[in-house]
Each structure stands twice: as structure tokens, then as C-alpha cells.
Amino acid sequence: YSKKTIGSKNIDVLNKHLANLMIRYKLEDCLDIPPKNFIFHTVDGNGDWRKVYDEAIRQACEEKQRSIKSLEANLMSANRIVSLAKVDMAVELALNILEAGKQVVVYGSFKDSLALVRSKIEKEGYGVSFIDGSVANNKRGKIVEDFQTGKNQAFVGNMIAAGTSLNLQNAHNGIFLNFTFTPTDFAQAISRMYRGGQLNKVNINCILVEGTMDEYIWNLMKNKMSTIDDIIDGKKVTITNITEQVYRIIKSNQK
């Protein structure tokens, strides 16, 4: 059946096969762990970065998009600029958590904003475990161990490179520098803390920049995650690519 149920092209067939083959239990139904708590923080949409962001959006809307990958690459350039605008807020939140004697996890997608967060936290005297795509797999275990044992008080990681297979459950405070066009990347990163053995309520701090694509991506991500649940539960759904939806919203707002 794999040839008939690839991706989102044959949702009805996928629903049918899942209904016959899978019994689904959510993590919170199986394990006695506290709930997740989403906390939203807002950054003013005006700053020195704004002109660069507006230009990136203009170029993304004017360029003839040849594929979803091309469109996503253009929009990611704007998303990177928004991520940089959140660095000061992310560091402030992280330092507040650290000063309270608790560990913190910071996730993002862009090398420059992650490097700034790491540098600013280290300048305050805290140890930081850091993982992005440049860190070899055979070194990651020791980096995580240094965080889990408390040698380092903060963990800073790329949402994809450090978003799966790691156990960061000693922390229950996370900060996200940006959202992605793939909700599962976000969900997987949260699951590094929100997992079996977690004894505390997990606080997910999401930073939103006013008047930017942040607002669109977050709302679309929520809908997409709900859609994923509906597919697995066998409900009738319509699939739309988040990248295309963000592009359409931005394009319509520019008119």
C-alpha cells in the first residue's frame, strides 16, 4: 500500500489503513506527567531590522517561485531576520530562569541567532551545552550529559539537529526563537523535555514579533498540528502546505 498512500495525496486511503492498523494513545494518556504550558511573549515589530525584513518579504513576493522549496528558501530569509529580532528577549527570559536556579533549553533554526544567544548566556557566567548541524554525532552524547548532570545550566540547539533522540528532561523550561514551516520539528523539540520521567510542568516560551510572519506561521502551525491528529484519528481533512499558506497571506496583505 505504500505506493498508494505517500504524503498527503491520498488522505482517504491513509485514513482507512491507519484505522485498521493502529490504536492511538497520546503521551499524556499513557504516562503520569504534568501538562505543557505555552507562554507567549511579544517583541515590538519596529527596529533597525525592520527595513531588512520588509525587503526580504518584498523579494519573496516578487520573485517567480519555481517550487515549494524555492518559496520556502525565500521566506526563511525573512524568518531568519525575525529570529534575530528575538535574541534579546530570549536571553532575558533565559537569564531569569537561570537566576532562579533552574535549567533552560533554547531552540531555534538559524546559526547566527543561536550563536548570539549562546554567547550572551556564557558572558553571564553560565555553562552552555550547544548542538547544531556542525557537531559530530559521536560528540553529542557528552554534550547532553553535561547538561543533564548540571555541569552546564543551559542547552542551546538547532531545532532539527538537536530536536530528536535527545533526553533533556532535567529541564522543564524551553524557549523558542522561531517557528518552522514543519510543525513536527517544533513538536519533536518540545518532546526532548516533555517525555516520560518529566516531573514538572513543562513551560514552552514562544516569542512572537508583532506585524511579521510569526503571527501567520504560529496560527497555521496550530491548525496543521490539529490536522495531523485528525488524519491519525481517521477524520476527513483537507491538506494545505504551510509555506504556500504563509505566502498567500503575505501576498494578500501587500496589496
Side-chain angles (χ1 to χ4, degrees):
Y1 295 113
S2 62
K3 292 183 180 179
K4 298 180 182 179
T5 57
I6 293 172
S8 60
K9 295 180 180 179
N10 298 279
I11 296 300
D12 291 340
V13 181
L14 181 60
N15 286 342
K16 178 181 177 181
H17 293 328
L18 288 176
N20 292 331
L21 296 175
M22 180 165 63
I23 299 174
R24 184 187 185 218
Y25 291 97
K26 294 183 178 180
L27 181 64
E28 51 267 35
D29 297 329
C30 302
L31 301 173
D32 184 21
I33 59 176
K36 297 189 291 284
N37 180 37
F38 287 87
I39 306 168
F40 291 89
H41 309 268
T42 304
V43 173
D44 180 56
N46 296 306
D48 295 338
W49 54 271
R50 186 75 206 199
K51 288 184 179 180
V52 183
Y53 169 79
D54 289 341
E55 177 61 20
I57 289 295
R58 186 190 64 78
Q59 290 181 3
C61 290
E62 286 188 357
E63 182 175 333
K64 185 177 179 181
Q65 308 300 336
R66 291 168 295 179
S67 65
I68 290 296
K69 285 186 179 294
S70 172
L71 174 57
E72 186 168 315
N74 283 309
L75 290 178
M76 285 296 277
S77 295
N79 202 8
R80 170 185 163 272
I81 296 164
V82 174
S83 178
L84 285 167
K86 303 179 190 180
V87 167
D88 288 344
M89 172 70 80
V91 172
E92 180 182 344
L93 292 171
L95 292 178
N96 287 339
I97 293 166
L98 292 167
E99 287 167 6
K102 301 172 183 178
Q103 290 179 288
V104 67
V105 174
V106 182
Y107 271 113
S109 300
F110 304 101
K111 183 178 291 187
D112 45 5
S113 54
L114 287 172
L116 280 171
V117 169
R118 176 187 184 183
S119 173
K120 288 174 180 288
I121 292 175
E122 287 178 334
K123 282 182 179 178
E124 296 299 321
Y126 296 101
V128 178
S129 287
F130 179 82
I131 293 178
D132 68 1
S134 67
V135 178
N137 288 334
N138 61 0
K139 295 182 178 179
R140 297 184 182 190
K142 179 62 168 59
I143 293 171
V144 172
E145 181 184 342
D146 286 346
F147 178 73
Q148 282 289 91
T149 58
K151 180 179 178 180
N152 290 332
Q153 298 79 41
F155 179 92
V156 177
N158 176 277
M159 209 180 303
I160 295 177
T164 57
S165 304
L166 305 184
N167 182 353
L168 305 174
Q169 68 182 29
N170 276 14
H172 60 275
N173 290 286
I175 300 169
F176 282 81
L177 274 169
N178 64 274
F179 305 116
T180 70
F181 297 113
T182 308
T184 48
D185 292 340
F186 181 69
Q188 282 290 333
I190 292 173
S191 295
R192 298 315 95 219
M193 296 170 286
Y194 189 69
R195 55 193 294 118
Q198 178 58 260
L199 302 176
N200 300 288
K201 178 173 66 176
V202 174
N203 296 310
I204 308 300
N205 293 276
C206 300
I207 306 174
L208 293 159
V209 181
E210 295 176 328
T212 68
M213 61 195 299
D214 258 2
E215 298 168 345
Y216 315 139
I217 298 175
W218 171 247
N219 287 327
L220 293 170
M221 274 182 56
K222 285 192 297 182
N223 292 335
K224 188 81 168 182
M225 287 188 279
S226 176
T227 298
I228 292 168
D229 286 342
D230 287 345
I231 290 173
I232 293 174
D233 291 337
K235 298 178 182 177
K236 184 80 173 179
V237 298
T238 301
I239 295 294
T240 310
N241 184 280
I242 282 184
T243 309
E244 290 179 310
Q245 288 178 288
V246 171
Y247 176 71
R248 288 172 189 162
I249 294 170
I250 293 173
K251 191 80 171 176
S252 65
N253 287 344
Q254 287 209 325
K255 292 179 180 179

